[in-house]
Amino acid sequence: PAITNCTISGNSAEDGGGLAGCDGAISNCIVVNNWAASQGGGMDCCVGVIDNCTISDNSAEVSAGGLHWCWAMIYSCIVWGNEAPEIPEVEGYWETTYCCIRGWTYEGEGNISADPLFVSGPLGDYYLSQMSAGQAADSPCIDAGSALAVEMGLAEMTTRTDEMPDVGIVDIGFHYPASEDAVDVEVICSLNSEEFTTGDVLEAFASLENRGADIIADIFAAIVLPDGSVISHTQSGFAPGIWPWLSEVILTSGFSSGPSEVFELCVPTGAAVGSYSYVVAVSRPGMVTPDFLSIHHCTFHIR
């Protein structure tokens, strides 16, 4: 059968301390602290698909502390910190892609061998270090998996200690359940009018509410021009491109503000006639390409 969202820990056997002989899919499981007297401390002869699993801190007395002869499609998995006298992590494989495996030197699209930077969190010791969640560095496994988190059924689960759900490209490795109220922030924007001409004063407003857990966020306020280009409102004025208006703002649970004025702008002579958008958004801090937690826009026209 399929084995999904399970923890397999503290088991022992001659071969395959954690799992052996499985031919069904093994998805989003954490396989840790298992032991084999011979081979395959974590898994042995598992031949179904293995995806988004973390196989770590297992051991075997002969070889393959992590995986032994798993002729499977293995993707978006972390295999790290397993121990054996010979070939500590993986011995024998079929197709391995988008995985993080200690000492990996073989072929396979998207595979990496960098330290996943595990950190302890609310439910265990195998979360991924993330600066936006308060750690000192970002794990190389962030946004490095084989598909979108929503396609993998992991968009409501997390690898972050602050329990924010995974968005965009799926993170490599096991995903913990996320708190139901981990992220529940909403922004709404408005303008003093929908029609403007040269010389008119445009007043932009925004309100923000955090109905979930405490979060740290960047807040964006921008105007999208008729040609699709973006001009962002920043602390030092307007600037082309996507830049935060406020950085690393602490939004405590229950925070509510607005509608408050964000900026006012006199429509300049020569402004292009057409439809514009005023946009306000909230994202996790420091994202080069922001994953917006909430975004709202309103359309206005310059005649």
Side-chain angles (χ1 to χ4, degrees), residues 45 120 161 213 231 271 273:
C45 295
S120 297
T161 58
I231 299 178
V273 172

Side-chain angles (χ1 to χ4, degrees), residues 208-257:
L208 190 151
E209 183 177 3
N210 181 22
R211 298 182 291 261
D214 296 354
I215 61 171
I216 301 173
D218 287 349
I219 303 176
F220 297 77
I223 294 175
V224 182
L225 278 59
D227 64 4
S229 57
V230 178
I231 299 178
S232 295
H233 172 60
T234 72
Q235 288 294 296
S236 56
F238 286 92
I242 301 174
W243 303 99
W245 163 40
L246 301 171
S247 298
E248 298 187 359
V249 177
I250 299 174
L251 300 176
T252 57
S253 180
F255 176 87
S256 181
S257 176

Side-chain angles (χ1 to χ4, degrees), residues 78 80 100 114-120 125-131 135-142 159 161:
I78 297 173
W80 194 273
C100 175
D115 191 328
L117 301 179
F118 291 131
V119 291
S120 297
D125 297 327
Y126 297 94
Y127 289 85
L128 300 179
S129 177
Q130 306 198 33
M131 295 175 68
Q135 285 84 50
D138 282 332
S139 166
C141 296
I142 298 169
T159 63
T161 58

Side-chain angles (χ1 to χ4, degrees), residues 10-20 34-41 59-61:
N11 305 286
S12 61
E14 180 68 24
D15 293 305
L19 292 169
N34 302 287
W35 173 84
S38 182
Q39 300 164 322
S59 61
E61 294 301 307

Side-chain angles (χ1 to χ4, degrees), residues 62-140:
V62 177
S63 67
L67 301 176
H68 179 253
W69 291 108
C70 289
W71 294 98
M73 292 179 61
I74 304 170
Y75 55 92
S76 298
C77 290
I78 297 173
V79 187
W80 194 273
N82 302 286
E83 298 297 338
E86 300 177 12
I87 315 176
E89 300 296 347
V90 178
E91 182 178 1
Y93 66 96
W94 180 245
E95 181 179 333
T96 304
T97 57
Y98 296 96
C99 289
C100 175
I101 303 174
R102 185 176 63 164
W104 189 256
T105 58
Y106 301 99
E107 61 184 11
E109 183 178 357
N111 293 318
I112 60 175
S113 59
D115 191 328
L117 301 179
F118 291 131
V119 291
S120 297
L123 298 175
D125 297 327
Y126 297 94
Y127 289 85
L128 300 179
S129 177
Q130 306 198 33
M131 295 175 68
S132 55
Q135 285 84 50
D138 282 332
S139 166

